[in-house]
Amino acid sequence: MEGKNKIKWIYSSKNNHELLERYDQWAKEYDTDLEQKEEYQGTKITADLFTKYVPRVSRILDVGAGTGLMGKLLSILGYENLVAMDLSKGMLDVARQKGVYRALDQMVLGETLDYATDSFDAVISTGVFITAHAPASAFDEIVRIVRPDGYIIFTLSEDSYENAGFKEKFDALESDGKWKLVEKGDRLKLTTSSSYYHKVWVFQVC
């Protein structure tokens, strides 16, 4: 199966159980398919904004870390205190081999996360908030585990923002004084075959 067909296959997952199984199956070929066949840009673009706001000494949670492509890049950029979290054990097993994370935790976005309040200085996430993936409600827990003045930086598809409850969730969190928007990047495609446009969002926790 070509990389672009695997992406469509992932997007067609009907529930978290099926999504987990498919990511487990894809894990060993994921890096090659995304970086070489699909010329994935999300990692670099998100990291560029991340380095603008987050100091190298920060404790960082890579949400939906997958095989650790983001962790590998952040490590190269001088970040050392990295924790990976993902739905798929198979993906985390590949991420572990990169040797850049202090911990790797299997958890599900949209459920209660097993981290204490204010555990992290920043959260980073790319390619996670898309069709058939993490729900808008996941941000309640993400905001909880990031300390005040910390940052949450992530990609989000425009379609999900408009049609999957993200716009309403973002507005509610801002109205409730939980976070504030700092910057929103240009619209872009994360992969060459994608039909979805994304933006990188930067929020600061209040």
Side-chain angles (χ1 to χ4, degrees), residues 156-191:
L156 173 67
S157 72
E158 291 182 340
D159 177 70
S160 294
Y161 176 70
E162 294 292 343
N163 301 311
F166 286 90
K167 183 179 187 302
E168 293 78 7
K169 175 54 68 177
F170 292 1
D171 290 346
L173 287 169
E174 189 155 14
S175 296
D176 291 344
K178 300 290 188 179
W179 71 4
K180 61 183 178 183
L181 179 64
V182 176
E183 186 171 346
K184 184 165 55 174
D186 298 330
R187 103 191 263 265
L188 58 106
K189 288 187 176 183
L190 300 186
T191 65

Side-chain angles (χ1 to χ4, degrees), residues 2-206:
E2 291 295 325
K4 63 182 179 181
N5 292 325
K6 287 179 182 174
I7 292 171
K8 292 178 181 177
W9 176 62
I10 287 290
Y11 284 2
S12 68
S13 300
K14 296 179 178 62
N15 51 54
N16 277 337
H17 179 72
E18 190 169 72
L19 188 66
L20 184 154
E21 287 187 337
R22 291 182 178 187
Y23 269 124
D24 280 351
Q25 290 177 49
W26 192 13
K28 291 182 180 178
E29 291 81 31
Y30 183 86
D31 288 4
T32 299
D33 285 342
L34 229 60
E35 290 192 311
Q36 296 180 19
K37 297 178 182 178
E38 284 292 312
E39 300 177 7
Y40 187 66
Q41 298 297 310
T43 306
K44 181 182 183 305
I45 291 166
T46 309
D48 285 346
L49 269 181
F50 192 81
T51 58
K52 179 178 175 181
Y53 293 101
V54 180
R56 290 342 189 244
V57 296
S58 302
R59 186 168 192 236
I60 298 156
L61 179 65
D62 185 359
V63 166
T67 58
L69 291 175
M70 179 61 77
K72 180 180 177 181
L73 178 55
L74 291 180
S75 178
I76 292 169
L77 293 171
Y79 294 91
E80 297 181 354
N81 199 348
L82 304 172
V83 175
M85 190 208 83
D86 199 86
L87 171 75
S88 164
K89 181 180 182 300
M91 300 290 265
L92 288 172
D93 286 344
V94 177
R96 182 175 287 106
Q97 295 170 17
K98 292 183 171 65
V100 297
Y101 293 106
R102 296 194 175 188
L104 299 99
D105 302 317
Q106 186 179 12
M107 297 184 198
V108 179
L109 285 168
E111 299 180 1
T112 301
L113 301 179
D114 191 20
Y115 298 118
T117 299
D118 301 342
S119 288
F120 298 96
D121 300 307
V123 158
I124 190 167
S125 184
T126 180
V128 175
F129 297 102
I130 51 177
T131 304
H133 280 58
S137 61
F139 280 100
D140 291 322
E141 277 293 281
I142 291 172
V143 169
R144 179 185 68 80
I145 64 175
V146 176
R147 65 165 177 80
D149 296 326
Y151 289 92
I152 302 170
I153 301 175
F154 57 93
T155 62
L156 173 67
S157 72
E158 291 182 340
D159 177 70
S160 294
Y161 176 70
E162 294 292 343
N163 301 311
F166 286 90
K167 183 179 187 302
E168 293 78 7
K169 175 54 68 177
F170 292 1
D171 290 346
L173 287 169
E174 189 155 14
S175 296
D176 291 344
K178 300 290 188 179
W179 71 4
K180 61 183 178 183
L181 179 64
V182 176
E183 186 171 346
K184 184 165 55 174
D186 298 330
R187 103 191 263 265
L188 58 106
K189 288 187 176 183
L190 300 186
T191 65
T192 54
S193 68
S194 176
S195 57
Y196 294 97
Y197 282 91
H198 295 247
K199 290 181 180 177
V200 181
W201 295 72
V202 180
F203 282 95
Q204 188 173 29
V205 176
C206 297

